[in-house]
Every structure is written in structure tokens, then in C-alpha cells.
């Protein structure tokens, strides 16, 4: 964890952004995989981590906005627990490390909430995303589970997003470390990528790297020759010469800060001319965003800039036609890139999206568009110094989507469907990097960027 002063200052900043009542910040509990004693890898709630820093199950943080008091609720380990887990610090000892002076057993939390509710005090909480937390909050507040999300605090959501989305230097260092782990993962995938190797072998190997150097992967890895399926978690394929391999994978540090890279490379070790043409368009879109992004710019503008590069590139190959400004205005290029350009990243790989994209990626100034492609953009609002964002343009040839658009006639003024059908077995290409917004522009995160140009990739794959 960070120095205790950091957590004290974070909680102080949250106190200052809200007026009165209690702020309830539940940590996560262990979650059973297939029976109670066999649990999934424990992952603490990110907002709890941000303000209290403790990777400890069954712990709840409470801020009293009127008294200024911060309290941690939880129970110390019993003798039976110690037999299985060994001696553990007491809650008071944990609390000292993050600057909290007051601790109480978890049973006292119910009394505190009940007393506050009886006085009509506001209880602020974020929308829970785990079933056990929904039930816990419902029991505390006397709400049916299906009503818990509706009573979540908009004021708290906005306050937490405003604090968490601007990364401090210590956070950026952690994210840089996570990027370094991810680079090792992607380089290993390139070294292992040969005809006859299974997708599962590569997926297992790179996830092992994430555990060697950190807390594991930041999301289930995508390791596939079928890159046209955007979230493909099927590792059953055997690599075939002539195909493209898409690896979308990232790592978490032991403090749970994340990275998220995507690289696409040829199974044979060399791109075909057709693959290289499409790849270079995607790379040009990636580079365009790094050229333009700066504080004050809107990220939806960066999406549109990347979309124009993709559209112009596809027009040069005869896949699109007409005026590309008009094509992007109606979202015709979304046939090839149906997703958004990127998302915020930090303690979550899609940072704070449990709070709600309308607060994280959008605000009163920036509303989500309904234009194809742009409508899927998770982060559209004005960029600020300290934002960490992914930049992940792509081009995909999705047969079912192509069929649908051609039958319905959408984009027919801009899309050469006859030419597109020559690419139905192409797959997909995505190139993803992580960006920090700086005072005067931006910079790439990670000191060891995985090979990204076609020449770099071919050289690395054939000389390692």
C-alpha cells in the first residue's frame, strides 16, 4: 500500500466534496467458486482500495461527513481462522497503516446505520456490482435487493470519479509497472506464436507472467486467431500459417493498478501484403490519437479522428468510397470498427465503470452519441491532466455484421460490399496502447513498449 498520508488526504478530499450524512464504502468479501471453501482469487473493491488501501475481506469503511470521523468495521481473525491462515494483523493494526483511528466490529455497523437512518441522515453509497454486496447494503438500509441501485448517491458517484480519474505520481508509477508486466506478456506471446501451437498454451503462459510479477491478469485474456470476435475467450484453436493472432491482455500490480495492451501479429512470423495494408491503417489511427490528445480536447473527437484515418485508409484500398467526412458523420466506418476508441484505466482496467459510464466517460457537458461506433465509446468527455486512457483502434471483418448491413442497405453509399467480401476470412486487427494526459499533451505509458510496427514485429518474431 501507499504511505498512510495518501489515504488520509484522499478521504479528506472526499469529505470536502460532500456536505452531510454518512458515506458507506463496503469492501468485497470472498466469493465461492464451486463450494464455500474454494473461492475465486480475492479482488478488493477498487473504491475501497482507493480510500482505505486494505486488501482485506469483510471490511467496511464509513465516513461521517458531519463529525469528520473515519471508521473501519470488521472482525479480527478467530483461532479457527488462524489454524488455516496463520496469524493475521488485527483490524486496529491494519487501520493504523492507512491513518484510520477508529475501528469497530462489523456488528456495530448495523447500529450506526440504524441510528443515522432514524435521524433522517443521508446514507451515501455507490451502486453495488456484486450480489453479496447488494444483499449486504439492502440489509443495512432496509431495502429490497432490486431497489438498492436506485438509491445510490449521484453526489458520491461524481465526487469519487472526480478524485479517482486524476492519477497521482505514485499511481502512474504503479500503472507503468503494470505496463512493464504486460509488455513481457505480449513479447512472450510473439515468441511462442508458431503454426501448430495452441491458443491455450499461449494464454496460459502469458497469464503465468502476470502472476510472476504482479497480482495476475487485469481481465480475462483474449488470445485468438479469430480477432473479428471482439471479446473472444475461446482458446481451443491451433495456430495456422497465414492467420493473424490477436492478443488483448494486461496485468495488475500487487496494488491492483492495471495495464491493457493489444497486439496483432502473423502466425507465420511475416505479414502478407494484404495484412500489412490493413495493419498500417490501424497503426496510423493509433498514432493520430497520440499526435492530437491534450488537456481540453474531447475524447470523442479523438475517436472521430481515428475513424477518419481508418475510413480514408479503407477508401484507398477500395473498401470504402465517397466523402469520408460524410461517411464518419453517419458512422459508416463502424462496419469495420464497431467499438469505441478507448476507456479510462487505473485501479480497474475499465476504470470506475461499476459507478456508471455516464459519470466516468460522460458528464453534463458531453452526452453519448447514437451514431454507430461512436455510440459504443466508453469515454467521450473532455480530457484532463492525469487521465489515463487506452487508445485501441481496430479494423475487423465480421461476416454476420457485413451480411446485416448489406441486406439492410446501411452505409451503401460509402461501402463497397463486393470488395469487402474479399476479406471475409481476414479476421481482425487491433492495436492498443495506454496513454497519460500530461500538462502539454500526452505520453505513452510503459518504458518497454511491445513491438508495434510490422517491421518491429517481424524482426522480433524471427530473431528471438
Amino acid at each position: 500500500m501507499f504511505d498512510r498520508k495518501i489515504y488520509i488526504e484522499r478521504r479528506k478530499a472526499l469529505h470536502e466534496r460532500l456536505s452531510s450524512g454518512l458515506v458507506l464504502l463496503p469492501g468485497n468479501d470472498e466469493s465461492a467458486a464451486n463450494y464455500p471453501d474454494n473461492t475465486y482469487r480475492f479482488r478488493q473493491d477498487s473504491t475501497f482500495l482507493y480510500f482505505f488501501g486494505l486488501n482485506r475481506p469483510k471490511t467496511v469503511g464509513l465516513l461521517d461527513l458531519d463529525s469528520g470521523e473515519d471508521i473501519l468495521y470488521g472482525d479480527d481473525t478467530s483461532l479457527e481462522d488462524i489454524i488455516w491462515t496463520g496469524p493475521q494483523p488485527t483490524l486496529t493494526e491494519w487501520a493504523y497503516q492507512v491513518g484510520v483511528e477508529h475501528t469497530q466490529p462489523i456488528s456495530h455497523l448495523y447500529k450506526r446505520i440504524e441510528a443515522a437512518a432514524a435521524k433522517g441522515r443521508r446514507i451515501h453509497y455507490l451502486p453495488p456490482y456484486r450480489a453479496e454486496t447488494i444483499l449486504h447494503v439492502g440489509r443495512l438500509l432496509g431495502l429490497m435487493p432490486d431497489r438498492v441501485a436506485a438509491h445510490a448517491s449521484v453526489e458520491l458517484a461524481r465526487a469519487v470519479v472526480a478524485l479517482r480519474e486524476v492519477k497521482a505520481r505514485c499511481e502512474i508509477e504503479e500503472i507503468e509497472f503494470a505496463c512493464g508486466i504486460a509488455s513481457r506478456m505480449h513479447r512472450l506471446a510473439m515468441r511462442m506464436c508458431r503454426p501448430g501451437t495452441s491458443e491455450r498454451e499461449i494464454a496460459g503462459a502469458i497469464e503465468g507472467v502476470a502472476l510472476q510479477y504482479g497480482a495476475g491478469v487485469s481481465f480475462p485474456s483474449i488470445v485468438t486467431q479469430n480477432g473479428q470476435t471482439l471479446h473472444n475467450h475461446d482458446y481451443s484453436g491451433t495456430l495456422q500459417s497465414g492467420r493473424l493472432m490477436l492478443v488483448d491482455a494486461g496485468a495488475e500490480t500487487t496494488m491492483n493498478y492495471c495495464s491493457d495492451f493489444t497486439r496483432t501479429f502473423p502466425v507465420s512470423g511475416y505479414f502478407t501484403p494484404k495484412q500489412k495494408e490493413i495493419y498500417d491503417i490501424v497503426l496510423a489511427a493509433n498514432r493520430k490519437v497520440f499526435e492530437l490528445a491534450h488537456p481540453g480536447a474531447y475524447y470523442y473527437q479523438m475517436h472521430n479522428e481515428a475513424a477518419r484515418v481508418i475510413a480514408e485508409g479503407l477508401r484507398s484500398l477500395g473498401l470504402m468510397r465517397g466523402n469520408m467526412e460524410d461517411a464518419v458523420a453517419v458512422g459508416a466506418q463502424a462496419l469495420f470498427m464497431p467499438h469505441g476508441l478507448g476507456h479510462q484505466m487505473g485501479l480497474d482496467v475499465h476504470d470506475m465503470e461499476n459507478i456508471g459510464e455516464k459519470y466516468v466517460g460522460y458528464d453534463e457537458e458531453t452526452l453519448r452519441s447514437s451514431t454507430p461506433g461512436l455510440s459504443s465509446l466508453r469515454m467521450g468527455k473532455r480530457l484532463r491532466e492525469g487521465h489515463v486512457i487506452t487508445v485501441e483502434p481496430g479494423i475487423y471483418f465480421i461476416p454476420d455484421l457485413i451480411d446485416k448491413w448489406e441486406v439492410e442497405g446501411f452505409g451503401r453509399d460509402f461501402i463497397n460490399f463486393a470488395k469487402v467480401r474479399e476479406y471475409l476470412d481476414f479476421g481482425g486487427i487491433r492495436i492498443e496502447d495506454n496513454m497519460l494526459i500530461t500538462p502539454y499533451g500526452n505520453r505513452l505509458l510503459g518504458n518497454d513498449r511491445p513491438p508495434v510496427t510490422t517491421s518491429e514485429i517481424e524482426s522480433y518474431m524471427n530473431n528471438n
Side-chain angles (χ1 to χ4, degrees), residues 439-452:
Y440 305 106
N442 69 79
R443 72 172 176 88
L444 182 76
L445 284 168
N447 298 318
D448 184 27
R449 188 186 194 189
V452 68

Side-chain angles (χ1 to χ4, degrees), residues 82-341:
I82 290 171
I83 292 171
W84 295 98
T85 65
Q88 301 294 318
T90 66
L91 181 59
T92 300
E93 290 169 334
W94 280 112
Y96 175 80
Q97 296 180 59
V98 293
V100 176
E101 297 179 1
H102 306 288
T103 62
Q104 292 187 6
I106 200 73
S107 59
H108 288 210
L109 176 62
Y110 288 86
K111 299 174 186 176
R112 182 69 175 258
I113 296 294
E114 185 178 320
K119 294 178 181 178
R121 299 182 69 192
R122 176 76 187 277
I123 314 295
H124 299 272
Y125 63 90
L126 298 172
Y129 53 91
R130 284 194 176 186
E132 58 264 34
T133 310
I134 293 171
L135 294 173
H136 187 199
V137 172
R139 286 194 298 270
L140 281 169
L141 301 178
L143 295 171
M144 295 296 291
D146 62 351
R147 298 300 301 157
V148 170
H151 288 267
S153 171
V154 173
E155 299 97 311
L156 179 60
R158 288 176 173 154
V160 169
V161 169
L163 293 173
R164 281 184 57 187
E165 72 178 359
V166 177
K167 305 300 187 288
R169 178 180 297 178
C170 59
E171 294 181 285
I172 293 166
E173 289 172 355
E174 281 291 311
I175 295 170
E176 295 263 30
F177 188 72
C179 289
I181 300 172
S183 180
R184 290 175 181 264
M185 295 165 68
H186 284 271
R187 289 173 181 272
L188 177 58
M190 290 181 190
R191 290 197 301 272
M192 292 181 67
C193 182
R194 292 292 183 271
T197 304
S198 74
E199 293 170 343
R200 190 172 303 280
E201 285 179 73
I202 296 176
I206 66 173
E207 294 200 2
V209 171
L211 280 171
Q212 276 183 285
Y213 296 97
V217 295
S218 51
F219 58 94
S221 302
I222 299 167
V223 181
T224 181
Q225 295 169 103
N226 291 301
Q228 76 280 4
T229 303
L230 301 186
H231 281 179
N232 193 338
H233 297 125
D234 175 25
Y235 309 138
S236 62
T238 299
L239 303 195
Q240 299 174 14
S241 184
R243 303 284 298 277
L244 288 168
M245 182 74 167
L246 187 151
V247 177
D248 187 341
E252 285 193 6
T253 69
T254 54
M255 291 181 62
N256 300 112
Y257 283 86
C258 300
S259 59
D260 184 3
F261 287 94
T262 306
R263 290 294 184 266
T264 310
F265 38 92
V267 172
S268 66
Y270 293 96
F271 290 92
T272 68
K274 191 175 185 179
Q275 290 168 346
K276 187 179 185 299
E277 288 173 339
I278 299 295
Y279 188 97
D280 285 344
I281 296 169
V282 179
L283 183 58
N286 175 287
R287 286 172 166 166
K288 175 61 73 172
V289 178
F290 278 93
E291 289 173 13
L292 297 177
H294 64 274
Y298 293 91
Y299 208 55
Y300 78 83
Q301 294 174 330
M302 301 300 100
H303 173 98
N304 284 337
E305 291 288 349
R308 277 189 278 272
V309 171
I310 285 171
E312 291 288 357
L314 292 173
R315 184 177 68 167
S316 73
L317 299 180
L319 291 156
M320 296 189 72
R321 59 194 175 201
N323 184 295
M324 292 299 96
E325 288 287 338
D326 295 340
V328 171
V330 299
Q333 86 294 333
L335 175 64
F336 307 97
M337 189 177 113
H339 61 74
L341 179 64

